[in-house]
Amino acid sequence: MNSAHQSALQAKHALLDRQIQTELQRPLPDALIVAELKKQKLRLKEELSAH
């Protein structure tokens, strides 16, 4: 895997982490949004670890 691609995946992973934290800090976090963001984050983590 080229490092540019890996860097892009890491940046997306960090963005998803921030989005999850933002949603969780709301007075009434949307569990469906949080679950979807966590799924996306896990997919990225798996792709990063596969290479």
Side-chain angles (χ1 to χ4, degrees):
M1 173 190 313
N2 68 32
S3 63
H5 181 67
Q6 188 171 10
S7 294
L9 290 176
Q10 289 172 338
K12 288 179 187 178
H13 188 270
L15 175 62
L16 286 169
D17 195 41
R18 288 191 303 271
Q19 289 175 323
I20 290 167
Q21 291 308 314
T22 299
E23 184 63 30
L24 289 175
Q25 291 181 12
R26 289 177 23 160
L28 293 171
D30 187 325
L32 293 176
I33 291 174
V34 172
E36 182 56 36
L37 290 171
K38 285 184 177 184
K39 284 182 198 174
Q40 290 176 29
K41 186 178 168 188
L42 180 59
R43 278 188 232 117
L44 284 175
K45 182 178 178 182
E46 289 171 348
E47 187 172 346
L48 280 167
S49 67
H51 298 283

